[in-house]
Amino acid sequence: MSPDHLSSAESHLAVESAGAEFALEGATSGGLPPHFDPRAEVRPPPSPLLAILLVLFLGLLAAGGAVAYLALDEDSQVLAGLARSVGIRTDKDGEKPPTIPVPPVEPVEYLDVPAETAQAINAKVPFTKDPVPAAAPFRLALPAADQARAVDCLASAAWYEAGDRALDQAPVVQVVLNRLRHPAFPKSVCGVVYQGSNRSTGCQFSFTCDGSLRRRIPSAAAWERARAMARSALAGSVYAPVGWATHFHTDWVVPNWSSSVDKVAAVNTHLFFRWRGATGKPGAFRGTHQGSEPITPMLATLSPAHRPGSETEVPEVALDLPPVSIEPEPPTAPPPSVAVPEAMLRGNQLRAADAAENLFVLQIKPDQFAGTLALVGLEMCKQAPKGCTVVGFTGTPGRVLSNGLGRTSWPDRQPDFYYFVDRSRAREIALWNCETLPRPDKKQCMPPGFRGEG
């Protein structure tokens, strides 16, 4: 029988005989036996214990591979990494991690409907039932000039989008920083805030392309409060209720993107949204700051850091600032002594009153329909024998001053509603700040630099 037809037992005996002969002849002659084949692999017979250990080891490898496979199916890379570290490969090894789709950022357009219709539409949109985890802290440390530009760009978004109230500013600031970390948006604070501002339509934040930066200037105190809010956010403060929201709008408009996002929070008149699916999950927000901030010339009036030549100048940076409170602010003045029926106020708050001047200052109810304010003014001034003025603010009211002849001014910020009547002159007027309380008739909007008449 040829060697090719030996049984396994015979093969084993043949190998053992060859090994024994090699051992004997090698020991006596010191050389290789003539019939030795160097290609033959000589192994000792396996022991039962070694076989058992081998079976157990292979079983553990198979179990580890199954765990790694399940881990990959559930988007967890931890167990898969452990499996690979001990030599276990899965069928997904070598593949690139799945990429998160980046939705296009389109110019914003609004449904052409009255404010009350928009509010009704927005009220019917349910809040998401999925968890809304808080965003991770964002900390920015740049050279002084770049840091100052980042602070002022963020402060401009806070004040122009939310007014002079910390509770309204904080969620807007959070949206800006969320956008910076998302792949769909620029990688600087100023780039996010002023994206599209070079176009008359298509800007992401309306104040950057509608002329607000020319028409509305915050007081020095209000601007410093907005900058303090910006510094706090860039030092790691987080406004948790809006989570990873990347979009917001006031409740009296309906933007073109509203049907493609999930509503996650409402803060006064602002509604906040995030993208659906993986695009809006925390894993999508892994972008980092580009390392510098561009100069934004349209902000130069408010910010020395954005004026020509500031690339080489180091603006003063405030240090050791107290934390910014975003809790609802208490009244800045004691309640007025003038009694006004609650029904007459229609949910608004009377924050100051001067009976001698017939001057009333209101804090406007967050969900107040703008047209209702004219009725409030009419009723409050119904019995006034001479000039009567009602001034309303969204958020904490600014100061309203009278010159004693009925003419009023507001040194802190422009009001959001103004009503004046003087029946002795058959004079009656109602105006709104259409940046915050839009009106269908532009003639009802306060002109830039408006001051009350007397």
Side-chain angles (χ1 to χ4, degrees):
M1 181 180 293
S2 69
D4 293 338
H5 293 85
L6 291 175
S7 68
S8 59
E10 292 171 326
S11 298
H12 180 68
L13 290 173
V15 171
E16 278 190 305
S17 299
E21 185 177 353
F22 166 71
L24 290 173
E25 293 191 17
T28 56
S29 65
L32 294 175
H35 61 276
F36 177 71
D37 184 359
R39 293 171 297 175
E41 184 178 0
V42 181
R43 295 180 181 176
S47 68
L49 178 60
L50 181 60
I52 292 172
L53 291 175
L54 181 60
V55 170
L56 290 175
F57 179 70
L58 292 175
L60 287 173
L61 288 182
V67 170
Y69 180 80
L70 291 174
L72 287 172
D73 275 353
E74 298 201 0
D75 297 324
S76 171
Q77 302 300 320
V78 178
L79 291 177
L82 290 173
R84 285 192 294 270
S85 70
V86 296
I88 304 171
R89 295 183 61 82
T90 72
D91 59 357
K92 294 189 178 182
D93 281 351
E95 294 183 7
K96 294 182 179 179
T99 57
I100 296 174
V102 179
V105 179
E106 302 289 350
V108 181
E109 299 178 356
Y110 298 96
L111 192 63
D112 186 15
V113 295
E116 55 269 27
T117 302
Q119 289 175 320
I121 293 173
N122 291 322
K124 292 181 180 179
V125 177
F127 289 96
T128 180
K129 295 181 180 180
D130 294 332
V132 182
F138 182 90
R139 294 180 176 88
L140 187 65
L142 299 174
D146 291 288
Q147 190 80 10
R149 287 194 281 273
V151 167
D152 289 351
C153 282
L154 195 54
S156 67
W159 190 85
Y160 281 96
E161 290 291 335
D164 187 23
R165 191 182 185 204
L167 184 62
D168 295 327
Q169 291 177 352
V172 171
V173 166
Q174 188 64 57
V175 165
V176 173
L177 299 185
N178 289 350
R179 284 192 168 201
L180 189 154
R181 292 193 280 196
H182 197 279
F185 299 98
K187 292 294 162 279
S188 68
V189 176
C190 295
V192 169
V193 175
Y194 288 87
Q195 184 179 12
S197 61
N198 58 326
R199 303 188 297 267
S200 58
T201 59
C203 54
Q204 292 298 303
F205 292 85
S206 59
F207 79 92
T208 67
C209 64
D210 67 359
S212 291
L213 286 163
R214 296 189 304 271
R215 297 195 309 267
R216 301 166 54 207
I217 302 296
S219 68
W223 180 238
E224 282 307 311
R225 285 190 289 271
R227 295 182 79 228
M229 171 63 69
R231 290 191 195 97
S232 179
L234 293 175
S237 294
V238 173
Y239 187 76
V242 298
W244 291 101
T246 49
H247 295 69
F248 70 90
H249 66 80
T250 53
D251 67 354
W252 56 76
V253 298
V254 181
N256 56 344
W257 45 257
S258 61
S259 62
S260 63
V261 290
D262 287 333
K263 185 161 70 170
V264 298
V267 181
N268 289 334
T269 57
H270 278 138
L271 305 174
F272 293 84
F273 305 82
R274 70 183 179 198
W275 270 312
R276 292 175 183 151
T279 308
K281 296 292 179 62
F285 295 83
R286 295 178 179 174
T288 57
H289 193 278
Q290 67 185 22
S292 63
E293 287 286 340
I295 290 179
T296 306
M298 65 176 63
L299 195 52
T301 301
L302 281 171
S303 171
H306 287 277
R307 293 170 189 166
S310 64
E311 300 95 332
T312 57
E313 297 175 2
V314 180
E316 180 181 354
V317 178
L319 301 175
D320 299 325
L321 291 170
V324 177
S325 171
I326 56 176
E327 298 300 321
E329 299 91 339
T332 56
S337 58
V338 177
V340 176
E342 289 293 331
M344 186 181 293
L345 293 172
R346 295 175 183 260
N348 302 290
Q349 297 180 40
L350 181 64
R351 297 294 294 274
D354 186 337
E357 294 289 332
N358 285 324
L359 173 62
F360 304 92
V361 179
L362 303 177
Q363 181 171 340
I364 299 171
K365 180 183 176 184
D367 58 353
Q368 180 74 78
F369 172 54
T372 303
L373 295 169
L375 298 177
V376 174
L378 178 65
E379 293 177 1
M380 295 184 72
C381 293
K382 184 166 54 177
Q383 304 298 327
K386 55 179 183 178
C388 177
T389 304
V390 178
V391 180
F393 293 86
T394 58
T396 303
R399 291 173 295 163
V400 179
L401 307 179
S402 173
N403 67 355
L405 299 174
R407 185 174 294 275
T408 51
S409 61
W410 21 84
D412 296 328
R413 66 183 181 103
Q414 189 174 20
D416 299 288
F417 172 71
Y418 172 82
Y419 175 83
F420 173 80
V421 61
D422 185 347
R423 292 183 178 82
S424 66
R425 295 187 293 149
R427 176 69 171 158
E428 185 176 28
I429 183 173
L431 294 174
W432 287 259
N433 179 355
C434 291
E435 296 293 332
T436 56
L437 299 174
R439 300 297 294 160
D441 185 353
K442 298 303 181 184
K443 294 179 181 179
Q444 297 176 338
C445 299
M446 293 182 196
F450 173 75
R451 289 292 180 267
E453 58 183 275

